[in-house]
Structure formats: structure tokens, C-alpha cells
Amino acid sequence: MSARESADGEYYLARALLKQDPPLIAEALPHLSRAAALAPQETLALLELARQENTPERPPTAIAALEEALRRDPKLATAHYRLVQLYRAAGQLEKSREHLRRYQELK
């Protein structure tokens, strides 16, 4: 099995855990992290990881996942948009404005 196949397996296992009622978020997070590590060019797992980590207690984790996604693909408008919101909420207005500018350029 290739790393790409393993990454896909980890990602889809995480998605299945998140679709449970109630979602098994804590169980899914390590699978998303492994998927992101196994596929260093992909951004899907990082975007989902950021979405799940976007809680009042864990905004730095969501920010880190989105920043890594942008290192992999600087034209990822979704990541810029989410960072606008996260940085604004964290009071980092200059970073928020920069990501807003980048988002608007991409749209």
C-alpha cells in the first residue's frame, strides 16, 4: 500500500467517525493528522482538521492547520477565508487583513 493510499484511508476513516451520531471528533482527529502527514502535497485533511479544531479552546491548532495548508497550496481561498475569521477573533487584525486581501485576490 502506498503512502497516498494510506493517507486516503486515514482521511476517510476520520470522515466516517465524524458522521457518527454524535460525531466522534476526538477519535477522528489523530486520523486527520496522520492523513495530512502521509500526503504532504494534499490539503483536504488539513482543512477538515482546522474545521474540527476551530473551537474557542483550540484556535491555535486550527490556525496552524490552515497555515500548513497554505504552505502546500498558497492559492487555497478557503484557507485564507477561514484565517480571516480566526485571526480577527484572536485580535490579530493585521494578519486578518492580509488574508482577506489574499482571499479577495483569489476570488
Side-chain angles (χ1 to χ4, degrees):
M1 181 181 301
S2 72
R4 175 75 242 155
E5 291 169 331
S6 295
D8 287 346
E10 291 288 342
Y11 175 77
Y12 288 111
L13 176 55
R15 296 290 299 158
L17 292 167
L18 293 170
K19 290 182 186 260
Q20 299 301 305
D21 187 22
L24 301 175
I25 297 169
E27 291 85 350
L29 293 177
H31 295 287
L32 290 170
S33 294
R34 279 194 293 278
L38 287 167
Q41 309 306 322
E42 296 294 323
T43 59
L44 201 56
L46 289 167
L47 290 174
E48 185 60 35
L49 185 62
R51 193 169 78 79
Q52 296 303 322
E53 293 283 16
N54 187 13
T55 65
E57 306 82 36
R58 299 187 53 92
T61 306
I63 288 171
L66 292 169
E67 290 287 2
E68 175 59 26
L70 287 173
R71 276 189 282 286
R72 295 177 184 194
D73 182 359
K75 294 181 179 181
L76 196 58
T78 303
H80 286 295
Y81 182 77
R82 289 183 186 174
L83 283 167
V84 168
Q85 298 166 335
L86 287 168
Y87 279 132
R88 185 179 305 137
Q92 297 182 38
L93 300 182
E94 188 58 38
K95 286 185 177 183
S96 177
R97 282 190 288 273
E98 176 62 22
H99 285 285
L100 179 59
R101 183 186 62 74
R102 291 182 190 165
Y103 172 75
Q104 289 171 332
E105 286 172 358
L106 293 169
K107 284 296 172 182

